[in-house]
Amino acid sequence: MRQSILAILMVAGLLLASQVYADPIVIKFSHVVAENTPKGQMANRFKALIAERLGDKVLVEVYPNSQLFGDNKVLEAMLLNDVQMAAPSLSKFKRYTKKLQLFDLPFLFNDIDAVDRFQQSAQGKTLLHAVEKKGLIGLGYLHNGMKQLSASKPLRVPADAKGLKFRIMASDVLAAQFEALGATPLKKPFSEVFTLLQTKAIDGQENTWSNIYSKKFYEVQPYITESNHGVLDYMVVTSKEFWMGLPEELRSEIKQALDESIAFGNQVALEKAVSDKQAIITSKRSEIIELTPEERAQWVAAMKPVWKQFEKQIGPSLIEAAYNANP
Ligand code: LMR
């Protein structure tokens, strides 16, 4: 009797062990944008590469459009292992580091090439580690593009923005940027922006061509000023606990697939900055305002004093290094 109980227990143990071994590691990748965006495409490519190369060991599940978590909750959820990967905008890490506020400084980078040069520099790469003390690991940067200003009225000079309400990401730099214009900034999740604009609870917002197009903001914003005043880029992150808990060989294969997916997403970002802008022009739903050099100089003069406000928190040498990435 005792022997047969022992035998049953052993078989049960073996079954359990084989079950544990057979279950793939699940990577939930949560993001807030549409699938047809640089981040959406990057995440889908990552899922496909992992399925192709590590299909029996790792399963990537992608949750777009804030289906699983909004960007305001996703990092907390990551630390609880409820989600394993995400790529929030660099503007959304305030609670984890002050250094990344660098990327929100208005008119710091002339274009995405300058952003890329800085991110690939030694100082740029070091910033990927800025969130480690809080239990997160930056696995790489991903581009979206330069931000434009959309509004219910034409914005040609900074004075036009005075008194208007703008939705911003949860960033103090962005709040200061709109305050410098005499406007009211409101920190709201991305998932609420369309409704806020449609119901006229806010007057405007800032975003990339890709986000303005894919989330149909242009249908409820009659004017878009091509200001290129800031950058919206991402950091692909995971939790230290999850990442370091992976077998080493698997970790390097996952990282390889991720790097390739990011390179692909960056290519999509370049294309979308042109094609989504063109699609908005073609739709005739929104008028695109191009600034003269004199008008642009007024925006720079109005917004750039914000740098001084955040110089201490970010570090003057970091700001200088980023600025020097411009040609
Ligand atoms: C936003 O909140 O406007 C963006 O960060 C959304 C995104 O992830 O591109």
Side-chain angles (χ1 to χ4, degrees):
M1 177 71 178
R2 233 175 108 186
Q3 264 173 350
S4 54
I5 289 177
L6 227 96
I8 289 169
L9 282 176
M10 269 174 69
V11 171
L14 278 173
L15 275 174
L16 201 72
S18 68
Q19 185 62 35
V20 167
Y21 182 72
D23 277 349
I25 294 167
V26 176
I27 299 180
K28 289 186 184 168
F29 192 126
S30 168
H31 68 81
V32 298
V33 290
E35 288 191 88
N36 195 19
T37 56
K39 185 160 53 181
Q41 296 282 304
M42 175 260 147
N44 289 350
R45 174 64 65 102
F46 177 59
K47 177 187 162 113
L49 287 181
I50 293 291
E52 187 186 303
R53 298 175 190 173
L54 300 167
D56 52 337
K57 299 189 197 112
V58 184
L59 175 69
V60 175
E61 294 173 356
V62 179
Y63 297 90
N65 294 309
S66 312
Q67 267 168 26
L68 193 61
F69 293 107
D71 271 346
N72 49 342
K73 288 276 180 309
V74 75
L75 296 177
E76 281 168 47
M78 190 170 280
L79 293 172
L80 297 171
N81 203 29
D82 289 339
V83 59
Q84 289 70 39
M85 270 193 201
S89 133
L90 294 165
S91 315
K92 295 177 179 170
F93 286 90
K94 189 187 87 186
R95 288 170 57 189
Y96 301 86
T97 174
K98 298 262 187 270
K99 295 277 172 215
L100 293 176
Q101 295 184 114
L102 170 78
F103 290 97
D104 284 339
L105 295 178
F107 296 105
L108 178 63
F109 298 105
N110 293 348
D111 51 29
I112 281 292
D113 283 348
V115 177
D116 198 72
R117 266 193 298 278
F118 172 69
Q119 289 174 347
Q120 299 316 319
S121 72
Q123 270 155 308
K125 284 185 180 155
T126 305
L127 281 181
L128 288 173
H129 302 288
V131 289
E132 273 178 22
K133 269 196 224 123
K134 304 278 178 168
L136 298 170
I137 292 191
L139 295 172
Y141 294 108
L142 171 70
H143 298 315
N144 184 328
M146 301 304 284
K147 289 182 291 185
Q148 320 302 335
L149 289 166
S150 76
S152 51
K153 58 174 271 203
L155 304 178
R156 287 184 195 283
V157 291
D160 295 332
K162 199 167 176 201
L164 301 188
K165 288 191 202 119
F166 287 87
R167 175 270 173 174
I168 56 163
M169 295 180 272
S171 152
D172 292 346
V173 177
L174 300 180
Q177 170 193 283
F178 281 101
E179 277 158 7
L181 302 174
T184 306
L186 295 162
K187 291 177 182 167
K188 295 284 179 189
F190 187 60
S191 56
E192 291 178 24
V193 182
F194 181 86
T195 308
L196 288 167
L197 292 171
Q198 191 185 36
T199 58
K200 304 203 181 338
I202 54 171
D203 305 296
Q205 61 89 46
E206 52 163 26
N207 233 305
T208 59
W209 291 116
S210 149
N211 281 347
I212 294 172
Y213 181 64
S214 59
K215 286 294 176 189
K216 303 192 187 312
F217 299 162
Y218 69 101
E219 292 187 1
V220 286
Q221 289 274 264
Y223 301 98
I224 304 172
T225 300
E226 189 168 27
S227 52
N228 291 314
H229 63 282
V231 62
L232 197 168
D233 262 19
Y234 309 112
M235 189 191 276
V236 183
V237 275
T238 186
S239 81
K240 225 171 171 175
E241 201 178 328
F242 171 74
W243 193 244
M244 298 322 286
L246 291 170
E248 202 175 325
E249 209 188 296
L250 217 51
R251 191 162 59 226
S252 74
E253 287 191 69
I254 294 172
K255 180 68 167 62
Q256 175 63 31
L258 188 67
D259 289 346
E260 289 173 37
S261 311
I262 288 177
F264 171 70
N266 285 343
Q267 197 50 42
V268 175
L270 289 180
E271 288 160 16
K272 293 236 155 256
V274 177
S275 63
D276 287 353
K277 175 185 164 190
Q278 188 51 49
I280 294 171
I281 295 172
T282 308
S283 79
K284 295 194 165 63
R285 298 290 293 263
S286 193
E287 184 187 326
I288 296 179
I289 298 168
E290 286 175 24
L291 299 175
T292 64
E294 293 74 28
E295 286 166 346
R296 190 175 157 83
Q298 286 194 45
W299 288 96
V300 176
M303 288 180 169
K304 220 171 155 179
V306 165
W307 291 23
K308 264 267 161 283
Q309 270 174 262
F310 292 88
E311 196 180 73
K312 267 217 186 87
Q313 288 180 28
I314 298 167
S317 60
L318 203 56
I319 298 177
E320 200 187 327
Y323 187 66
N324 287 340
N326 292 306

